[in-house]
Amino acid sequence: MSPTLRRGLASAASLTLLLSFAACGADPGDGSGVATPGVTDTEIVVGTHMPLTGPASAGYSTIAPATRAYFEHVNEAGGVYGRKIDYKIMDDGYNPATTQQVVRELVLRDEVFAVLNGLGTPTHTGVLDFLHTNRVPDLFVASGSRTWDQPQKYPGTFGFNPDYIVEGKILASHVAENFAGSTVCFFGQDDDFGRDSLVGVEKILGPVTDKQTYVTSNTNVAPQIGALKAAGCQVVILATVPGFTALAIGTAARIGFQPQWLVSNVGADYLTLASQLGEAAGLLEGLIGVNYLPMHNDETNPWIVLFRQIHEKYNADAPFDGNTVYGMAVGYLFVQALQAAGPDLTRTALVEAVERGGFEGPGLAPLRFSATDHSGYGGQRLTRVNGGTQEYFGPTYETDPADGPVNEYPGESATPPADGIPSAP
Amino acid sequence: MSAYTLPRHLGLLAVGVLAVLASSYLLEPYRLFQAATVAAFLCATAGLTVLTGLNGQLSLGHGALMAVGAYSLALSQRALAERGLTGGGALPISLLAAVLVTTALGAVIGVAAARIRGPYLAGVTLTVAIAVPALTVTFSGVFNGEQGLAVPLAPPPAVLGPYFPYERWQLWLVAAVTLLALLLLTNLVRSRYGRLLRAVRDDEVAAGLAGLPVAGIRVLAFVVSAAAAGLGGALLALLTQNVSPGAFSLALSLSLLTAVVVGGLGRLAGAAWGALLLVALPELTHSLAEALPLTPALAHRMEGNLPLAIFGLTLVLVVIVAPGGVQGHLSRLAQAAWTRLPHRAAPPTT
């Protein structure tokens, strides 16, 4: 056979394969073309990216299932304006390159209405422009990076967590009040998460004595922890994901280094850390963290009672911890935003509803959404591990990401509705 | 090179252009993105086919060469954007920069590779595959660590209208560059240099005795192959608008090699099958994992490992059943069908 014919056959075969490839993925929607993507009279399709596997999966892999469990509770009661929520969860392994891939699958293939609570600073940063150019609402990102709060540049993106500068300021002012004169150091993730957090810390304390960074692809943090020990650090502020909080504390203990640890809200959930450390969970005693949602073990809190009921009905395989509370709080807020957007659901209506603000939920501090502010919760309260349980202490603080003072926030969180389903704010 | 080679390749190019144009209007956006990804990978697998299939040199570092191309494009686009150059003129400059940088790197590795063989060469290229992603983390001031760099790109030209699908534009860009690269590579393969490459592969001693500059030819193969891989990486960066080391792990280098072996080593058409496989396999395993009645926890665990397992299994099967890869097998099937045709005496119409 001639080479030309051979090549012709090969290209014909490739083309056929390519076309059949196209055919099998064609028309997922109703084909009308004018309808809002992901929205029908009976359904809303929403997607997210989460590290279900990999170095950051500890704890985080249970967030999206908890959100989905909350949606099942809402769907059981008839959904929002008659529409049930279908929550697609994609695993990105905390690898920004995979996030690129899975978010394109969600937006281009599955045609989701919105992306909800995409997790991670390095991962989500890479898909911001893609989501913006495709006009996909990008709600309640699971991270406190300052990047989410750029209403001019990214009008559809909104944060959920308090931003990392606010958090750094709150942690640092606790250090300034209670550990005056100590040698203070910093250990953070080598990306916008760690950098923003350090900015907040140094706004209050000035330059710290030593700062070290880690990357999630390298699970050996002994050199950095050794350097912190050598620098004589007595207080170490951590901007770490849970797996690396546990690694840092475990590694430090092995070389006989036991400073006072203060941990970012994203890496401070006691149950997650304790399951990472196993028998060495005792090392967490005295650990100071921050949080802004009700403590999972506070059975007197009506939100915890509600979330635990939903958890036991729809999510019973997973542990009930801070990540579960977080996931359900996200679900509650999203349903509230859908209620506010009204029965004629469009992407514009949803974004406008979030910008109108006025949301109420389990949070200790207020949500700040407005047309000019797309950051999430505005404050936090300190926690401490005491006798194997994590408890809140002191007042709730709030501050701004600029040079404003750290103030006590006197407000109380709302009480949940009896059926656990919010109405429009 | 026979007198008909270039016209024939230009004819094939025209067919390719038509196929891309037609499919860019037939496919939905996600398939367009996937097709463009296949095209980007095709650059790299074609380059690797030239090196491994035609010249007999093994490289486990082509993923890293793709990373070098991708980062070169990103850094160049960012530098140009800083100087206010964001229009359509910036991209050709950046693509050229990506090719030049990987060509230079290919020459360096090639010179080393000309002196070592087989497992030793595999070892050296393996080092490249491990070192390059690590560099991005070590010099995070330049490469921004694991978070990676955003790649600023101009939107589709205004003449195409305000609602021109971005994915179609991406496919056009990537496919145009890939087709051009393939034209150059097929001509090279068919030329005197192509025969030199094969001569060195088949018997180095004989080639040397015949007076061929063996080391020079080996370096040439590495340079061409590296440039193609760098171009592929740059196109991938153009597609995802973001580069991060996680996209160019050692697993990518290994997958590229597996893909060209499965596709059919020694023929550029095999590289196309390989590129298609790289994109289709994860998708197919994803659908498989979704179709199987699994608990969510087991399903996501499967999804992480299933593509690798199936990839390995495919490799084993192909090596046993069809040592020539997909393309070799297809050629054999086509040949068998041809000989069975009643009027096979008639010459092929070309």
PDB file of all heavy atoms in Angstrom, chain A residues 264-281:
ATOM      1  N   SER A 264      -3.844  29.358  61.221  1.00  0.00           N
ATOM      2  CA  SER A 264      -4.906  29.906  60.366  1.00  0.00           C
ATOM      3  C   SER A 264      -6.171  29.048  60.447  1.00  0.00           C
ATOM      4  O   SER A 264      -6.093  27.840  60.677  1.00  0.00           O
ATOM      5  CB  SER A 264      -4.408  29.932  58.918  1.00  0.00           C
ATOM      6  OG  SER A 264      -5.503  29.979  58.031  1.00  0.00           O
ATOM      7  N   ASN A 265      -7.319  29.665  60.219  1.00  0.00           N
ATOM      8  CA  ASN A 265      -8.588  28.919  60.316  1.00  0.00           C
ATOM      9  C   ASN A 265      -8.629  27.741  59.344  1.00  0.00           C
ATOM     10  O   ASN A 265      -9.300  26.756  59.602  1.00  0.00           O
ATOM     11  CB  ASN A 265      -9.775  29.861  60.074  1.00  0.00           C
ATOM     12  CG  ASN A 265      -9.984  30.194  58.610  1.00  0.00           C
ATOM     13  OD1 ASN A 265     -10.636  29.433  57.880  1.00  0.00           O
ATOM     14  ND2 ASN A 265      -9.435  31.298  58.143  1.00  0.00           N
ATOM     15  N   VAL A 266      -7.907  27.821  58.220  1.00  0.00           N
ATOM     16  CA  VAL A 266      -8.021  26.742  57.246  1.00  0.00           C
ATOM     17  C   VAL A 266      -7.251  25.498  57.672  1.00  0.00           C
ATOM     18  O   VAL A 266      -7.457  24.416  57.120  1.00  0.00           O
ATOM     19  CB  VAL A 266      -7.546  27.171  55.830  1.00  0.00           C
ATOM     20  CG1 VAL A 266      -8.349  28.342  55.327  1.00  0.00           C
ATOM     21  CG2 VAL A 266      -6.068  27.498  55.816  1.00  0.00           C
ATOM     22  N   GLY A 267      -6.362  25.638  58.655  1.00  0.00           N
ATOM     23  CA  GLY A 267      -5.558  24.470  59.054  1.00  0.00           C
ATOM     24  C   GLY A 267      -5.623  24.185  60.524  1.00  0.00           C
ATOM     25  O   GLY A 267      -4.682  23.633  61.095  1.00  0.00           O
ATOM     26  N   ALA A 268      -6.726  24.558  61.202  1.00  0.00           N
ATOM     27  CA  ALA A 268      -6.758  24.468  62.655  1.00  0.00           C
ATOM     28  C   ALA A 268      -7.836  23.543  63.197  1.00  0.00           C
ATOM     29  O   ALA A 268      -8.041  23.486  64.400  1.00  0.00           O
ATOM     30  CB  ALA A 268      -6.939  25.862  63.256  1.00  0.00           C
ATOM     31  N   ASP A 269      -8.530  22.784  62.331  1.00  0.00           N
ATOM     32  CA  ASP A 269      -9.604  21.931  62.854  1.00  0.00           C
ATOM     33  C   ASP A 269      -9.015  20.778  63.667  1.00  0.00           C
ATOM     34  O   ASP A 269      -8.264  19.954  63.156  1.00  0.00           O
ATOM     35  CB  ASP A 269     -10.445  21.385  61.700  1.00  0.00           C
ATOM     36  CG  ASP A 269     -11.587  20.519  62.221  1.00  0.00           C
ATOM     37  OD1 ASP A 269     -12.421  21.045  62.976  1.00  0.00           O
ATOM     38  OD2 ASP A 269     -11.613  19.319  61.908  1.00  0.00           O
ATOM     39  N   TYR A 270      -9.407  20.712  64.955  1.00  0.00           N
ATOM     40  CA  TYR A 270      -8.770  19.754  65.854  1.00  0.00           C
ATOM     41  C   TYR A 270      -8.954  18.309  65.407  1.00  0.00           C
ATOM     42  O   TYR A 270      -8.001  17.531  65.387  1.00  0.00           O
ATOM     43  CB  TYR A 270      -9.298  19.938  67.291  1.00  0.00           C
ATOM     44  CG  TYR A 270      -8.766  18.885  68.220  1.00  0.00           C
ATOM     45  CD1 TYR A 270      -7.434  18.939  68.665  1.00  0.00           C
ATOM     46  CD2 TYR A 270      -9.550  17.812  68.644  1.00  0.00           C
ATOM     47  CE1 TYR A 270      -6.915  17.960  69.484  1.00  0.00           C
ATOM     48  CE2 TYR A 270      -9.036  16.824  69.468  1.00  0.00           C
ATOM     49  CZ  TYR A 270      -7.711  16.905  69.885  1.00  0.00           C
ATOM     50  OH  TYR A 270      -7.205  15.915  70.691  1.00  0.00           O
ATOM     51  N   LEU A 271     -10.175  17.923  65.054  1.00  0.00           N
ATOM     52  CA  LEU A 271     -10.420  16.513  64.705  1.00  0.00           C
ATOM     53  C   LEU A 271      -9.595  16.096  63.490  1.00  0.00           C
ATOM     54  O   LEU A 271      -9.055  14.993  63.426  1.00  0.00           O
ATOM     55  CB  LEU A 271     -11.906  16.263  64.457  1.00  0.00           C
ATOM     56  CG  LEU A 271     -12.801  16.312  65.688  1.00  0.00           C
ATOM     57  CD1 LEU A 271     -14.233  15.951  65.306  1.00  0.00           C
ATOM     58  CD2 LEU A 271     -12.296  15.375  66.774  1.00  0.00           C
ATOM     59  N   THR A 272      -9.496  16.989  62.496  1.00  0.00           N
ATOM     60  CA  THR A 272      -8.690  16.684  61.311  1.00  0.00           C
ATOM     61  C   THR A 272      -7.228  16.505  61.693  1.00  0.00           C
ATOM     62  O   THR A 272      -6.578  15.531  61.288  1.00  0.00           O
ATOM     63  CB  THR A 272      -8.808  17.830  60.294  1.00  0.00           C
ATOM     64  OG1 THR A 272     -10.182  18.097  60.055  1.00  0.00           O
ATOM     65  CG2 THR A 272      -8.121  17.475  58.991  1.00  0.00           C
ATOM     66  N   LEU A 273      -6.713  17.430  62.503  1.00  0.00           N
ATOM     67  CA  LEU A 273      -5.303  17.358  62.902  1.00  0.00           C
ATOM     68  C   LEU A 273      -5.040  16.124  63.749  1.00  0.00           C
ATOM     69  O   LEU A 273      -4.035  15.430  63.564  1.00  0.00           O
ATOM     70  CB  LEU A 273      -4.904  18.611  63.683  1.00  0.00           C
ATOM     71  CG  LEU A 273      -4.992  19.926  62.919  1.00  0.00           C
ATOM     72  CD1 LEU A 273      -4.674  21.102  63.833  1.00  0.00           C
ATOM     73  CD2 LEU A 273      -4.031  19.914  61.735  1.00  0.00           C
ATOM     74  N   ALA A 274      -5.963  15.830  64.663  1.00  0.00           N
ATOM     75  CA  ALA A 274      -5.769  14.689  65.555  1.00  0.00           C
ATOM     76  C   ALA A 274      -5.746  13.388  64.761  1.00  0.00           C
ATOM     77  O   ALA A 274      -4.943  12.495  65.042  1.00  0.00           O
ATOM     78  CB  ALA A 274      -6.881  14.652  66.609  1.00  0.00           C
ATOM     79  N   SER A 275      -6.597  13.287  63.718  1.00  0.00           N
ATOM     80  CA  SER A 275      -6.591  12.049  62.943  1.00  0.00           C
ATOM     81  C   SER A 275      -5.321  11.957  62.097  1.00  0.00           C
ATOM     82  O   SER A 275      -4.828  10.872  61.818  1.00  0.00           O
ATOM     83  CB  SER A 275      -7.849  11.938  62.075  1.00  0.00           C
ATOM     84  OG  SER A 275      -7.729  12.776  60.962  1.00  0.00           O
ATOM     85  N   GLN A 276      -4.751  13.104  61.724  1.00  0.00           N
ATOM     86  CA  GLN A 276      -3.467  13.089  61.010  1.00  0.00           C
ATOM     87  C   GLN A 276      -2.328  12.650  61.917  1.00  0.00           C
ATOM     88  O   GLN A 276      -1.459  11.896  61.518  1.00  0.00           O
ATOM     89  CB  GLN A 276      -3.155  14.501  60.482  1.00  0.00           C
ATOM     90  CG  GLN A 276      -4.009  14.926  59.321  1.00  0.00           C
ATOM     91  CD  GLN A 276      -3.604  14.225  58.048  1.00  0.00           C
ATOM     92  OE1 GLN A 276      -2.493  14.366  57.586  1.00  0.00           O
ATOM     93  NE2 GLN A 276      -4.499  13.422  57.501  1.00  0.00           N
ATOM     94  N   LEU A 277      -2.342  13.152  63.159  1.00  0.00           N
ATOM     95  CA  LEU A 277      -1.228  12.875  64.061  1.00  0.00           C
ATOM     96  C   LEU A 277      -1.358  11.522  64.747  1.00  0.00           C
ATOM     97  O   LEU A 277      -0.381  10.992  65.275  1.00  0.00           O
ATOM     98  CB  LEU A 277      -1.112  13.983  65.118  1.00  0.00           C
ATOM     99  CG  LEU A 277      -0.521  15.293  64.605  1.00  0.00           C
ATOM    100  CD1 LEU A 277      -0.706  16.403  65.626  1.00  0.00           C
ATOM    101  CD2 LEU A 277       0.962  15.140  64.272  1.00  0.00           C
ATOM    102  N   GLY A 278      -2.578  10.967  64.762  1.00  0.00           N
ATOM    103  CA  GLY A 278      -2.776   9.645  65.379  1.00  0.00           C
ATOM    104  C   GLY A 278      -2.419   9.655  66.853  1.00  0.00           C
ATOM    105  O   GLY A 278      -2.924  10.473  67.616  1.00  0.00           O
ATOM    106  N   GLU A 279      -1.484   8.781  67.231  1.00  0.00           N
ATOM    107  CA  GLU A 279      -1.129   8.647  68.649  1.00  0.00           C
ATOM    108  C   GLU A 279      -0.480   9.903  69.208  1.00  0.00           C
ATOM    109  O   GLU A 279      -0.435  10.106  70.415  1.00  0.00           O
ATOM    110  CB  GLU A 279      -0.176   7.463  68.831  1.00  0.00           C
ATOM    111  CG  GLU A 279      -0.900   6.132  68.738  1.00  0.00           C
ATOM    112  CD  GLU A 279       0.065   4.966  68.821  1.00  0.00           C
ATOM    113  OE1 GLU A 279       1.269   5.203  69.061  1.00  0.00           O
ATOM    114  OE2 GLU A 279      -0.392   3.826  68.637  1.00  0.00           O
ATOM    115  N   ALA A 280       0.057  10.737  68.307  1.00  0.00           N
ATOM    116  CA  ALA A 280       0.741  11.944  68.770  1.00  0.00           C
ATOM    117  C   ALA A 280      -0.211  13.126  68.911  1.00  0.00           C
ATOM    118  O   ALA A 280       0.220  14.268  69.026  1.00  0.00           O
ATOM    119  CB  ALA A 280       1.878  12.297  67.820  1.00  0.00           C
ATOM    120  N   ALA A 281      -1.529  12.861  68.926  1.00  0.00           N
ATOM    121  CA  ALA A 281      -2.506  13.948  68.969  1.00  0.00           C
ATOM    122  C   ALA A 281      -2.333  14.816  70.214  1.00  0.00           C
ATOM    123  O   ALA A 281      -2.749  15.979  70.223  1.00  0.00           O
ATOM    124  CB  ALA A 281      -3.918  13.384  68.912  1.00  0.00           C
TER     125      ALA A 281
END
